[in-house]
Amino acid sequence: MSTPGSGPATGSTGIRLHAPAPGWSLDADVIVVGSGVAGLTAALRCAAAGRRTVVVTKARLDDGSTRWAQGGIAAALGDGDTPEQHLDDTLVAGAGLCDETAVRLLVTEGPDAVRRLMAAGAVFDTSAETGEIELTREGGHHRRRIAHAGGDATGAEISRALVEAVQAAGIETVENALVLDLLQDAHGRTAGVTLHVMGEGQHDGVGAVHAPAVILATGGMGQVFSATTNPSVSTGDGVALALRAGAEVSDLEFVQFHPTVLFLGADAEGQQPLVSEAVRGEGAYLVDADGVRFMVGQHELAELAPRDIVAKGIMRRMQEQGAQHMYLDARHFGAEMWEQRFPTILAACRSHGIDPVTEPIPVAPAAHYASGGVRTDLHGRTTVPGLYACGEVACTGVHGANRLASNSLLEGLVFAERIADDIVAHAPAGSGPGIPVPATGPLQPGEARYEIQRIMTAGAGVLRSAESLRTAAEALEALYATALNNLEAHGKTAEPGVDSWEATNLLCVARVLVAAAQRRAETRGCHWREDHPDRDDAAWRRHLVVRLSATERRALVVIPTDSADFPSVLHPLSPLSTHSQEQ
């Protein structure tokens, strides 16, 4: 680990979303925000240890990102495979920025964590001949180590099993609830959350749940781009909440664009159908309109190279040919294999008028996964006492500059268990009541969501440059400045509500992403700078840590670490101890 900054611990920024005062409240020992594999695993483990646990989720319990995961969960479960080989593949994919200690924990604890998931009720596909779990390959893996369920419905099966386990355990849940802000006591320690429940039910409107431990498992922020594989609820709420609470985030510039998303037209917006990497793992080819396999010769694994390499290969071919998409050809699978192994993808393609059995599938890269997030240690602790994070919202150091395929479900599983164990073994100090903090930041109108997505897609998508990022930064700053001026000069802000809260969160994470992407003047992993096409280990084999400043205009403080290792979360980085930048 590099030497942490010597400055004072980061405190709350004092920024809160404009919202009505809480009209109801609950008390708990642990609050879990999110209901994917990470959130529900943590909740089950905390509840099993006797901690009163409340799960808060933005939609229904089974509506998070986990259920959309097609490919599977990676672990060294097969004959001849070892955690060390899994480690090697992960480090290569991460392009020099993985925390090797974190990766080693992931790959060594992963197999048993998957077995515990099976004991909890998850059923993976098995061989009819041997009864053993069937394993497949995806990009960046040199061995078959991806366990799958229902052919291409792994996430749905994991979600089903965990939701049923949570319901059987009688864990209290609050559904259709958008988390707003972290409650903190006079010492900056976690004291709970405020949230807004959408629709009628046992709880309605803005309320509060009080607890000394909060686990963020809110998923990603894919909705910051126009086209994404993420569901509509993935608006970066957890990262934005953490930033407002004074937490540090890292690696947000590393957004993985999945290479093979069903191309629905250049103007397609919102959640797009994913064509799992497992299709390529089973032998599908990437071809151009002339049927040429353009990935052959670009990497030893061809179509199964790490995702950043495949996405770049597709984009380059598109640029060379002036095309809007490439093709994934799996006609040689035949109808039976498509129907048995990839029924979900087959149905999605056919619903859009494409039959993979008889024709190639048009594909193009789209925003898929945030490799960065709220900075944590190996126990999921953030720089705010009592606040934990796991899953896509977190930056554990596992993914580095580019996530290895199917490591995401495993990361959520392993680090959720570690968080629960830490809470049980070292219960956060009892916090006093959350100190009311008046809202000081402006709200964006709901329609700003689409302007933010347009700005980010044009300026900070797969291909980036100093000019595109400068244009994006200026446009985002204009949105923020206009809203801030209306608040400070006229006392006006957008009407509080789900749309305006989500748009405000999206603007927050977009500004951080662009600031980090501007600062990182190199190409590494899934961060591709056309004006800096090479990887620069001497200058950039380090992370960028970002937090909100408590200055009047709420600037972003961007701090590079001293090396590829993260400093301790117990001592947040000080801008006085290293080179920093306010933007």
Side-chain angles (χ1 to χ4, degrees):
M1 290 288 187
S2 59
T3 304
S6 57
T10 303
S12 172
T13 63
I15 306 172
R16 292 292 183 272
L17 293 174
H18 285 263
W24 54 271
S25 66
L26 295 172
D27 293 315
D29 298 320
V30 182
I31 303 165
V32 177
V33 187
S35 60
V37 62
L40 296 189
T41 296
L44 284 164
R45 205 167 177 96
C46 287
R51 302 301 187 269
R52 182 182 176 190
T53 303
V54 173
V55 175
V56 174
T57 187
K58 195 172 180 181
R60 304 291 294 178
L61 273 181
D62 62 352
D63 276 346
S65 294
T66 291
R67 66 180 285 239
W68 297 101
Q70 294 174 344
I73 185 167
L77 297 167
D79 291 339
D81 197 7
T82 64
E84 198 69 25
Q85 294 176 72
H86 191 181
L87 172 82
D88 291 342
D89 285 345
T90 301
L91 295 179
V92 169
L97 280 188
C98 294
D99 182 317
E100 185 169 342
T101 303
V103 178
R104 194 171 294 279
L105 284 173
L106 178 82
V107 299
T108 55
E109 296 181 9
D112 283 343
V114 172
R115 294 183 184 100
R116 285 189 288 273
L117 180 62
M118 294 168 62
V123 179
F124 292 98
D125 295 338
T126 56
S127 167
E129 290 78 25
T130 67
E132 299 293 320
I133 294 178
E134 286 187 332
L135 301 172
T136 190
R137 281 182 67 197
E138 292 184 5
H141 293 273
H142 282 79
R143 283 192 174 273
R144 286 182 170 264
R145 65 168 65 97
I146 317 298
H148 50 83
D152 57 0
T154 310
E157 170 58 19
I158 290 173
S159 181
R160 177 205 62 77
L162 291 176
V163 167
E164 289 184 3
V166 164
Q167 292 171 336
I171 296 174
E172 186 168 4
T173 61
V174 182
E175 296 180 301
N176 302 309
L178 169 62
V179 67
L180 299 177
D181 280 303
L182 191 74
L183 291 169
Q184 293 169 274
D185 67 13
H187 301 286
R189 296 177 302 196
T190 295
V193 296
T194 56
L195 64 163
H196 173 78
V197 178
M198 299 165 270
E200 298 180 0
Q202 183 179 0
H203 306 292
D204 191 17
V206 175
V209 184
H210 303 283
V214 171
I215 304 171
L216 293 178
T218 52
M221 55 185 192
Q223 288 292 324
V224 78
F225 295 97
S226 297
T228 176
T229 62
N230 288 196
S232 62
V233 295
S234 298
T235 51
D237 308 320
V239 171
L241 174 149
L243 282 164
R244 289 192 295 269
E248 294 176 351
V249 304
S250 187
D251 297 356
L252 251 62
E253 68 269 34
F254 296 116
V255 177
Q256 187 176 80
F257 284 74
H258 197 288
T260 53
V261 176
L262 184 62
F263 182 75
L264 300 180
D267 297 325
E269 296 182 343
Q271 186 177 8
Q272 311 291 299
L274 176 68
V275 182
S276 170
E277 205 155 86
V279 177
R280 279 174 281 142
E282 295 293 349
Y285 308 130
L286 279 168
V287 298
D288 60 19
D290 297 322
V292 176
R293 287 183 64 189
F294 54 88
M295 285 304 300
V296 174
Q298 291 199 35
H299 190 276
E300 60 166 331
L301 296 176
E303 284 91 354
L304 284 178
R307 286 179 178 173
D308 62 313
I309 294 172
V310 178
K312 289 171 187 174
I314 291 173
M315 292 298 295
R316 286 194 187 99
R317 197 66 160 193
M318 287 165 56
Q319 288 179 321
E320 291 168 3
Q321 299 187 343
Q324 293 183 326
H325 61 83
M326 290 289 112
Y327 293 93
L328 187 65
D329 192 350
R331 289 174 290 180
H332 52 286
F333 284 6
E336 183 177 358
M337 181 174 174
W338 267 110
E339 290 165 0
Q340 293 184 2
R341 180 67 178 86
F342 301 110
T344 306
I345 298 170
L346 179 63
C349 289
R350 284 177 170 170
S351 72
H352 291 284
I354 300 157
D355 189 350
V357 176
T358 60
E359 59 186 319
I361 306 168
V363 294
H368 182 57
Y369 189 89
S371 294
V374 185
R375 187 167 80 83
T376 75
D377 66 6
L378 300 178
H379 301 281
R381 295 176 292 208
T382 73
T383 52
V384 174
L387 180 65
Y388 297 79
C390 57
E392 191 174 354
V393 71
C395 182
T396 63
V398 160
H399 302 308
N402 181 48
R403 173 180 67 102
L404 180 66
S406 287
N407 267 358
S408 50
L409 292 176
L410 190 70
E411 183 201 29
L413 192 63
V414 167
F415 282 86
E417 292 187 342
R418 295 183 68 82
I419 287 173
D421 292 348
D422 188 73
I423 290 174
V424 172
H426 311 286
S431 57
I435 305 299
V437 176
T440 54
L443 285 181
Q444 292 293 314
E447 57 268 24
R449 175 182 186 135
Y450 306 104
E451 180 66 8
I452 294 165
Q453 291 173 335
R454 184 193 65 76
I455 292 167
M456 293 298 290
T457 298
V462 181
L463 302 178
R464 301 167 178 174
S465 67
E467 178 61 22
S468 77
L469 291 166
R470 181 189 63 78
T471 300
E474 290 177 353
L476 294 172
E477 176 58 25
L479 287 176
Y480 182 77
T482 297
L484 184 64
N485 181 65
N486 285 337
L487 178 63
E488 294 180 342
H490 309 292
K492 296 180 180 179
T493 191
E495 185 69 23
V498 173
D499 290 346
S500 59
W501 291 324
E502 286 186 333
T504 302
N505 286 339
L506 283 172
L507 181 60
C508 177
V509 298
R511 291 178 69 222
V512 173
L513 193 162
V514 169
Q518 283 183 291
R519 190 73 175 271
R520 184 172 290 280
E522 66 159 354
T523 290
R524 182 186 297 271
C526 49
H527 171 66
W528 188 4
R529 285 283 297 263
E530 292 180 284
D531 52 333
H532 295 281
D534 299 319
R535 173 170 154 176
D536 183 355
D537 278 353
W540 285 110
R541 192 163 181 257
R542 62 191 69 231
H543 302 272
L544 289 172
V545 175
V546 184
R547 66 171 179 261
L548 291 186
S549 168
T551 61
E552 183 180 353
R553 290 190 65 80
R554 311 305 177 189
L556 303 176
V557 181
V558 184
I559 311 168
T561 59
D562 297 329
S563 72
D565 295 327
F566 277 129
S568 166
V569 299
L570 301 180
H571 302 281
L573 279 175
S574 167
L576 301 177
S577 65
T578 185
H579 300 292
S580 68
Q581 173 180 335
E582 294 209 3
Q583 303 197 142

